[in-house]
């Protein structure tokens, strides 16, 4: 699988997800299906390799997140802009269970988009009590707008938030955590780099997601082990 060298430094481009007006979603050809061991998804506009990437993304999750997704849609730039009116990597129709991606990135990046948007659909189905629990863990860190200062992107991770985009609201924060956890474990993309693990909110959010079904046990254990690994490396640098 091709890895994008620019993927970590450019990851804030996902900042358009779930902002802006969403029209009814187009259903471009080819129309097909993708099957994992537990679910069948409808796909629209995905070629054979793109269907493989989507299948990879959903099958690796091993948690409740993919159960809420019904369809994956791949759009060209013109189709995407006409539909969504925003320059972003993807977005989710949460109640319908449809997730859309822009055909403008390499395979690895697109897998990140599928994970991120699937997480939005999953979060929409959580009870209000879960949202309240997450916000209580997070504290007063959200600006509650997508009109944030992009020049502050390099300030993150901080305050239990992994990326600047996560400071927009709790929905984005939660989706970024799920995306980042799977990216770390399966794609060696480390969005946790620079996190101050003495701040308990990072692990509290990971534990919340595992408890609620947003992370598999394997991924949960991998992320939970990061602080111990940092301490070992600090004591015995190579």
């Amino acid at each position: 699988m091709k890895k994008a060298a620019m993927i970590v430094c450019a990851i804030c481009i996902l900042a358009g997800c779930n902002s802006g007006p969403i029209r009814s979603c187009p259903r471009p050809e080819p129309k097909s299906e993708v099957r994992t061991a537990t679910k069948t998804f409808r796909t629209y506009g995905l070629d054979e390799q793109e269907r493989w990437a989507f299948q990879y993304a959903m099958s690796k999750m091993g948690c409740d997140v993919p159960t809420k997704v019904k369809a994956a849609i791949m759009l060209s730039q013109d189709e995407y802009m006409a539909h969504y009116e925003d320059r972003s990597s993807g977005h989710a129709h949460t109640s319908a269970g449809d997730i859309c991606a822009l055909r403008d990135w390499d395979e690895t990046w697109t897998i990140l988009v599928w994970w991120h948007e699937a997480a939005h659909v999953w979060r929409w189905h959580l009870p209000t009590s879960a949202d309240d629990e997450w916000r209580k863990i997070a504290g007063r860190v959200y600006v509650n707008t997508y009109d944030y200062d992009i020049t502050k992107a390099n300030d993150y991770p901080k305050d239990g938030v992994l990326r600047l985009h996560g400071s927009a609201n709790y929905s984005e924060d939660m989706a970024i955590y799920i995306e980042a956890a799977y990216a770390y474990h399966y794609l060696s993309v480390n969005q946790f780099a620079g996190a101050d693990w003495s701040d308990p909110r990072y692990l509290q959010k990971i534990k919340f997601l595992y408890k609620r079904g947003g992370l598999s046990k394997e991924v949960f254990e991998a992320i939970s082990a990061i602080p111990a690994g940092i301490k070992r490396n600090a004591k015995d640098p190579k």
Side-chain angles (χ1 to χ4, degrees):
M1 182 184 300
K2 186 171 72 172
K3 301 277 182 69
M6 46 66 74
I7 202 164
V8 174
C9 64
I11 212 155
C12 61
I13 294 176
L14 277 172
C17 299
N18 272 25
S19 61
I22 303 179
R23 297 190 176 97
S24 58
C25 203
R27 296 288 193 270
E29 298 288 344
K31 299 177 182 178
S32 188
E33 290 184 342
V34 162
R35 293 181 176 88
T36 66
T38 58
K39 189 174 173 66
T40 299
F41 305 87
R42 300 187 303 273
T43 65
Y44 302 91
L46 280 70
D47 63 25
E48 183 176 357
Q49 186 62 23
E50 290 164 342
R51 289 195 296 274
W52 177 89
F54 176 73
Q55 182 185 48
Y56 176 91
M58 296 298 102
S59 63
K60 287 296 184 184
M61 297 198 86
C63 64
D64 291 346
V65 173
T67 66
K68 306 303 181 183
V69 176
K70 295 181 179 178
I73 303 165
M74 184 72 76
L75 301 175
S76 68
Q77 183 169 330
D78 289 344
E79 290 171 328
Y80 192 94
M81 295 297 286
H83 165 52
Y84 191 54
E85 295 182 346
D86 198 349
R87 175 64 175 171
S88 64
S89 301
H91 61 271
H93 298 256
T94 50
S95 60
D98 296 344
I99 54 178
C100 301
L102 172 65
R103 180 180 285 113
D104 201 21
W105 312 102
D106 80 342
E107 188 173 84
T108 300
W109 185 271
T110 303
I111 290 170
L112 296 184
V113 173
W114 293 135
W115 281 332
H116 184 101
E117 300 308 332
H120 276 302
V121 174
W122 172 78
R123 190 219 59 80
W124 188 84
H125 288 85
L126 291 179
T128 301
S129 60
D131 294 343
D132 292 341
E133 182 181 351
W134 181 276
R135 285 193 290 255
K136 184 177 180 180
I137 293 170
R140 301 180 66 178
V141 296
Y142 303 126
V143 295
N144 296 314
T145 177
Y146 289 96
D147 187 22
Y148 42 67
D149 185 356
I150 195 66
T151 64
K152 295 183 178 180
N154 290 334
D155 294 346
Y156 291 82
K158 73 170 187 177
D159 300 330
V161 178
L162 295 178
R163 298 205 311 265
L164 172 65
H165 188 48
S167 70
N169 54 58
Y170 71 93
S171 177
E172 294 297 351
D173 191 21
M174 200 180 299
I176 287 169
Y177 261 84
I178 291 174
E179 167 206 330
Y182 284 92
Y184 176 87
H185 189 57
Y186 290 112
L187 301 180
S188 299
V189 175
N190 188 2
Q191 298 182 49
F192 296 92
D196 178 5
W197 291 92
S198 66
D199 184 333
R201 288 174 288 190
Y202 294 102
L203 278 179
Q204 286 172 354
K205 289 178 178 180
I206 292 298
K207 291 176 181 177
F208 167 97
L209 291 172
Y210 177 58
K211 179 182 70 174
R212 291 285 182 173
L215 296 178
S216 67
K217 182 179 181 181
E218 180 180 349
V219 171
F220 167 71
E221 290 177 345
I223 305 305
S224 298
I226 293 176
I230 293 172
K231 289 180 180 178
R232 284 195 302 271
N233 291 336
K235 291 180 179 179
D236 186 23
K238 294 182 180 180

